Amino acid sequence: MQLQFKSHLRRRGAILTAQGLKKLNQAKAQLEIEQNFKRYTLEDLSEKTGLTSNTLSKVFNGSVGVDKRTLERCFNALNLTLLKDDYLYLLPGQDNVAEIDLMSSVEICSTIKSICDSPLNMLHDRSDTPQIYKMEQLQNNPQLLLLTPPGGLMPLDSFLYIDRPILESLCYEGIQQPGALLNICAPKQMGKTSLMTRILAYANSLGDRTVCVNLQLVNDEILQNLDRFLQWLCTRVSKQLGLPNGIVNFWDNSLGSKSNTTDYFEDVILSNLVRGEPARNNRLLVIAFDEINHLFTYPDIASEFLQLLRTWTEQAKQGNANTNPWQKLRLVTVHSTQTLMPPSIDPSLLNTGLVIELPEFTFTQVQDLANRCEQEITAPQTQHLMNLLGGHPYRLQLAFYYLQQQRISVEELLENSDIVFTIYVDHLEQQWWNLQRYPDLLPLFTEIVSQPSPVDCEVVQGLQLCKMGLVHLHGLKASLACELFRPFFCDRLQQINS
């Protein structure tokens, strides 16, 4: 009996049940609250548990089984005791199915909802879709596991959101600093807005007020005049904070639009913040400006606005929180580098504060995404997939969407055949449309597309193509960002050169 018991302890393939996962997440959230809302990343938990980040990822994702002792170490590190109902084994056999069936679908859904409803837990490692839930629902209705078409903002509770732990930790810590200005930048569909949303959710969890201003909502006629644009800005922020619109009576044309806007923010918006927790003295205000690149068509407006933001961050660094209301303000800007900034705009204006450049997914992150999408691909296939699509989040999510719908096989996808072109035609055409806006880049890009190995390039043009997501830089050489581009761009470039 003793030998059998020891053998059972070494048995691998254990994952947390919904109950165990809920206990672990609640303990993690409580620890963060006790540590003044310091978010515990996988690296932090690795130090606390003595387990690797990869092992901890398996525990929280529930996609791969571990041994029972690993689960015990996680629980013990958070002052919990692992009970029999906190875990199960995902090994073939009737016992596993019986254990899963002990929890009704109502209990599982209730547990998942309680986890997803917590603002803090929405920001944790993607543990809000336990494997047991997936398995039981798959038995009843396999179609529930199919993904919706990717694109746009990824919801806070999406199990497909891949963490970038270092960058996210920088953002969560940076947004708490007086005079904070976070600049998030990357080509289109890299996850910028999804990260911005999580930063705002994190600020909300601390009790701060948050506002998101999408600059695509500004009409072109408003962007013809700085006064009208800044009045629009004051009105949008006031409305989201539930403040009356007093901009007409407040505006003094003799002071100029930037002075008026600054005074309005100080005297109306910042002065009306509701007091929050005593430990934080006053509630903070976090304003995120999405799609800053929409202003690039109007470089004069863009320059004045970016200079204004810089001025506000500088004002926040003066005095103390009791005497300087600007210390209540935190700013986030988001812009797509696919739209190149006009040369008339000082590039340093978008390098103020903490610059967050979103990188492509790594090999490990691509494998993680494949597991979450229920796709079993080998390491060589993963590498081949990254050669084809790069580490671009949208392209990878689209590939897994079609694989999960069984509309294409892994082999067909990796062949880069006509069916692959059909899947990505809209994405490719958008890339081509954008590239044609910068004809001076076409000769260099034509050379890069025609060569399988990196080619020499000028620094400025190479950097511009890299920001657009079309090439990768290797010192003073550039190579195509992914093989998906090669046949498509070869065809388009031959057409315009013939």
Side-chain angles (χ1 to χ4, degrees):
M1 293 293 292
Q2 189 175 6
L3 291 175
Q4 291 177 351
F5 179 68
K6 288 183 178 180
S7 174
H8 177 71
L9 283 176
R10 293 191 180 96
R11 183 180 176 189
R12 302 191 65 83
I15 67 166
L16 294 175
T17 62
Q19 170 184 303
L21 191 60
K22 179 181 178 182
K23 287 169 63 175
L24 197 63
N25 272 290
Q26 287 179 338
K28 183 169 176 276
Q30 183 60 39
L31 184 62
E32 292 176 336
I33 293 172
E34 293 172 357
Q35 298 295 325
N36 196 26
F37 293 96
K38 177 185 181 296
R39 183 175 183 266
Y40 270 79
T41 64
L42 289 183
E43 287 74 15
D44 296 326
L45 290 173
S46 178
E47 291 184 11
K48 195 171 183 64
T49 61
L51 300 169
T52 66
S53 297
N54 184 50
T55 299
L56 286 168
S57 179
K58 293 177 182 178
V59 172
F60 279 93
N61 292 333
S63 56
V64 180
V66 297
D67 60 73
K68 180 184 174 185
R69 288 177 180 174
T70 297
L71 299 180
E72 287 176 333
R73 289 173 69 175
C74 289
F75 269 55
N76 293 340
L78 296 175
N79 299 318
L80 298 172
T81 300
L82 184 71
L83 303 178
K84 183 178 179 180
D85 293 339
D86 293 331
Y87 69 98
L88 57 82
Y89 287 97
L90 291 180
L91 295 178
Q94 295 299 319
D95 290 342
N96 292 331
V97 176
E99 284 186 90
I100 294 172
D101 288 340
L102 288 175
M103 298 187 69
S104 69
S105 59
V106 174
E107 291 173 326
I108 293 173
C109 290
S110 175
T111 301
I112 292 171
K113 184 179 186 301
S114 68
I115 293 174
C116 291
D117 283 346
S118 166
L120 277 174
N121 285 334
M122 288 177 180
L123 299 170
H124 292 163
D125 305 296
R126 300 282 76 83
S127 54
D128 40 17
T129 308
Q131 186 74 8
I132 341 169
Y133 172 74
K134 294 181 186 178
M135 292 179 62
E136 185 174 71
Q137 296 305 309
L138 180 58
Q139 292 174 357
N140 298 330
N141 186 357
Q143 298 303 313
L144 288 179
L145 284 180
L146 297 181
L147 303 174
T148 55
L153 172 66
M154 192 164 286
L156 287 173
D157 59 350
S158 173
F159 74 98
L160 293 180
Y161 181 79
I162 301 296
D163 285 304
R164 294 176 170 103
I166 296 177
L167 290 184
E168 288 166 355
S169 294
L170 283 174
C171 291
Y172 298 145
E173 293 173 9
I175 202 63
Q176 300 178 63
Q177 306 305 314
L181 173 57
L182 309 186
N183 292 305
I184 304 172
C185 56
K188 287 183 179 296
Q189 300 174 312
M190 284 286 291
K192 301 182 298 297
T193 303
S194 295
L195 175 58
M196 177 201 73
T197 303
R198 282 155 178 80
I199 294 171
L200 295 180
Y202 178 75
N204 273 323
S205 75
L206 301 181
D208 298 332
R209 300 295 302 275
T210 60
V211 170
C212 179
V213 178
N214 190 326
L215 293 172
Q216 286 187 322
L217 296 176
V218 193
N219 292 343
D220 287 343
E221 61 268 23
I222 293 177
L223 288 172
Q224 305 287 340
N225 180 276
L226 183 62
D227 251 35
R228 290 195 64 189
F229 169 64
L230 292 179
Q231 288 179 12
W232 175 89
L233 173 64
C234 293
T235 303
R236 289 296 303 172
V237 174
S238 297
K239 183 175 182 179
Q240 290 198 45
L241 291 173
L243 300 176
N245 181 11
I247 195 67
V248 175
N249 296 327
F250 190 91
W251 212 258
D252 184 346
N253 292 327
S254 65
L255 292 176
S257 54
K258 289 197 291 186
S259 290
N260 276 314
T261 305
T262 300
D263 291 343
Y264 185 86
F265 265 73
E266 181 172 334
D267 298 342
V268 178
I269 293 176
L270 295 177
S271 296
N272 278 282
L273 289 179
V274 180
R275 288 194 173 270
E277 300 178 17
R280 294 181 61 83
N281 294 322
N282 291 313
R283 296 182 77 174
L284 305 180
L285 173 61
V286 181
I287 305 180
F289 298 99
D290 199 6
E291 300 288 352
I292 286 281
N293 45 280
H294 185 62
L295 302 182
F296 290 172
T297 309
Y298 305 90
D300 291 341
I301 299 292
S303 291
E304 296 285 3
F305 175 62
L306 293 174
Q307 287 172 6
L308 183 62
L309 297 186
R310 173 185 281 183
T311 301
W312 290 352
T313 62
E314 291 299 320
Q315 287 184 231
K317 297 175 184 177
Q318 302 172 11
N320 57 66
N322 295 325
T323 60
N324 184 2
W326 289 99
Q327 290 202 3
K328 301 177 185 178
L329 183 64
R330 310 289 191 266
L331 300 173
V332 181
T333 65
V334 180
H335 79 276
S336 170
T337 56
Q338 208 152 332
T339 302
L340 298 179
M341 192 164 61
S344 59
I345 300 177
D346 182 356
S348 69
L349 292 175
L350 277 174
N351 290 327
T352 302
L354 179 61
V355 179
I356 303 294
E357 298 183 20
L358 295 189
E360 293 188 338
F361 285 165
T362 63
F363 179 88
T364 301
Q365 288 171 320
V366 175
Q367 286 194 314
D368 186 9
L369 181 61
N371 289 333
R372 298 182 192 199
C373 296
E374 307 292 329
Q375 297 301 308
E376 296 182 2
I377 61 175
T378 65
Q381 286 176 328
T382 301
Q383 189 59 62
H384 194 166
L385 185 65
M386 293 184 69
N387 292 338
L388 175 65
L389 304 177
H392 193 279
Y394 171 76
R395 291 196 291 264
L396 290 164
Q397 289 163 4
L398 194 61
F400 290 131
Y401 168 72
Y402 279 93
L403 286 171
Q404 209 171 41
Q405 292 222 337
Q406 298 183 358
R407 294 165 68 176
I408 189 173
S409 67
V410 174
E411 292 72 23
E412 290 173 326
L413 176 63
L414 298 180
E415 286 175 0
N416 198 12
S417 57
D418 290 341
I419 189 173
V420 176
F421 170 77
T422 302
I423 292 173
Y424 290 99
V425 62
D426 290 339
H427 177 73
L428 293 169
E429 291 289 358
Q430 195 278 329
Q431 299 282 340
W432 174 236
W433 174 85
N434 190 59
L435 177 62
Q436 291 180 92
R437 298 165 60 194
Y438 310 101
D440 58 311
L441 298 178
L442 289 176
L444 174 60
F445 189 65
T446 301
E447 184 180 358
I448 293 172
V449 168
S450 63
Q451 298 295 328
S453 57
V455 303
D456 295 328
C457 64
E458 294 184 8
V459 175
V460 174
Q461 289 189 328
L463 187 59
Q464 289 175 328
L465 288 171
C466 183
K467 288 182 176 180
M468 294 166 69
L470 296 174
V471 306
H472 290 154
L473 293 181
H474 318 273
L476 296 178
K477 293 180 178 291
S479 62
L480 202 59
C482 64
E483 286 301 313
L484 174 71
F485 289 165
R486 199 176 300 278
F488 173 81
F489 280 115
C490 277
D491 179 65
R492 291 294 188 276
L493 291 168
Q494 286 176 1
Q495 289 181 22
I496 65 170
N497 292 327
S498 59

